[in-house]
């Protein structure tokens, strides 16, 4: 069976005000924001080159950004590593995500900090 591999995905939303309850995974706000992030990140990653191998993302946390309305999103995403996936190319995936988010500016109703997208294999 193909091994499941992880990579981290980080970005900053500039129009989602960070509040203390976003630090508590048990809070209603954390859970609802997490669901929304899954909706947008999963649909993007399913359309990317790793799409057929993509198995999902898990939000590991929300953090306060530089400005009051900035919220940093940290996620761990997974894919099945098999022979039909040449190799995980984080630069290619970064480029694809950048293109799909209008040069790292938009994720659904959210505005992104253009310099905040980070993909790490």
């Amino acid at each position: 069976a193909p091994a499941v591999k992880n990579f981290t995905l980080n970005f900053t939303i500039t129009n989602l005000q960070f509040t203390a309850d976003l630090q508590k995974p048990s809070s209603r706000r954390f859970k609802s924001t997490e669901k929304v992030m899954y909706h947008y990140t999963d649909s993007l990653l399913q359309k990317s080159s790793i799409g057929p191998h993509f198995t999902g993302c898990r939000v590991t946390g929300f953090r306060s950004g530089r400005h009051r309305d900035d919220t940093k999103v940290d996620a761990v995403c997974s894919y099945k590593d098999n022979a039909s996936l040449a190799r995980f190319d984080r630069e290619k995936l970064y480029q694809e995500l950048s293109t799909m988010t209008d040069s790292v500016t938009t994720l659904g109703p959210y505005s992104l900090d253009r310099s905040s997208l980070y993909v790490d294999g």
Side-chain angles (χ1 to χ4, degrees):
V4 173
K5 301 265 181 112
N6 296 328
F7 63 95
T8 56
L9 181 66
N10 311 88
F11 53 92
T12 301
I13 296 171
T14 58
N15 60 342
L16 175 65
Q17 191 168 355
F18 182 80
T19 54
D21 53 350
L22 276 176
Q23 286 180 304
K24 298 186 200 97
S26 60
S27 77
R28 182 178 285 161
R29 185 149 191 251
F30 182 101
K31 288 184 167 124
S32 65
T33 306
E34 178 184 46
K35 266 195 193 106
V36 171
M37 290 307 121
Y38 290 147
H39 172 76
Y40 290 110
T41 56
D42 285 9
S43 65
L44 284 183
L45 288 162
Q46 283 161 356
K47 290 182 222 153
S48 75
S49 57
I50 68 161
H53 312 284
F54 175 68
T55 57
C57 289
R58 183 171 50 84
V59 171
T60 55
F62 296 107
R63 294 179 288 135
S64 173
R66 277 193 302 254
H67 307 286
R68 206 170 62 106
D69 291 335
D70 289 2
T71 297
K72 295 176 181 275
V73 180
D74 300 320
V76 173
C77 303
S78 306
Y79 64 96
K80 289 194 180 94
D81 189 24
N82 61 22
S84 64
L85 181 66
R87 69 178 183 80
F88 179 76
D89 185 339
R90 70 189 188 99
E91 284 167 24
K92 179 179 179 185
L93 184 59
Y94 174 91
Q95 287 305 328
E96 292 171 341
L97 292 175
S98 175
T99 301
M100 290 189 271
T101 56
D102 298 319
S103 301
V104 195
T105 57
T106 315
L107 181 65
Y110 297 107
S111 300
L112 300 177
D113 174 339
R114 171 168 257 167
S115 62
S116 69
L117 179 64
Y118 185 68
V119 177
D120 182 29

